[in-house]
Amino acid sequence: MTVTVEVKNKKTLNLLNDLENLGLIHLQPPVPQEAEITAHENPPPYQWLRGIHAGLHKGSVEDFLEDCRKDKEREFAIEKRQDEERDRRRANATLPS
């Protein structure tokens, strides 16, 4: 588990270092502010894989599943129309003119 902690008193760092020396926690040095800005300006190369949900950081699992359900319903409706058209064409092709 990763937790971000804001240290308000420098003396707290001694306590955190002692906890790390006991093997209870692992400390990572803070990321410089410049690196954070650069990281946000250059999205990872896999960003395009997020599809329609790119840029939606506040979406919940329920919202995602609801979108999936709506997409699947649209797909079924399209398939149903295609099947009906195919059946009509077959019926028209078998009827003598």
Side-chain angles (χ1 to χ4, degrees):
M1 174 179 17
T2 302
V3 178
T4 302
V5 177
E6 179 182 355
V7 177
K8 295 191 176 203
N9 185 339
K10 295 289 183 181
K11 294 179 183 178
T12 308
L13 288 176
N14 293 336
L15 175 62
L16 291 173
N17 285 325
D18 290 343
L19 290 173
E20 184 177 30
N21 291 337
L22 291 171
L24 299 174
I25 63 172
H26 173 70
L27 298 177
Q28 293 180 340
V31 177
Q33 195 106 19
E34 298 162 359
E36 277 186 28
I37 293 170
T38 304
H40 293 294
E41 290 173 356
N42 299 324
Y46 57 84
Q47 187 76 24
W48 62 274
L49 293 173
R50 295 181 67 191
I52 63 168
H53 296 284
L56 296 179
H57 300 292
K58 295 182 181 179
S60 67
V61 172
E62 289 80 17
D63 293 340
F64 174 76
L65 293 175
E66 180 68 19
D67 290 344
C68 289
R69 185 188 60 75
K70 288 178 183 176
D71 289 343
K72 194 51 95 172
E73 287 176 358
R74 280 188 224 110
E75 288 176 18
F76 285 144
I78 291 169
E79 289 176 7
K80 183 177 178 182
R81 281 195 306 266
Q82 290 173 342
D83 289 342
E84 290 171 353
E85 287 178 21
R86 190 177 309 115
D87 291 343
R88 269 191 245 119
R89 287 183 190 142
R90 285 182 187 157
N92 289 339
T94 57
L95 292 175
S97 299

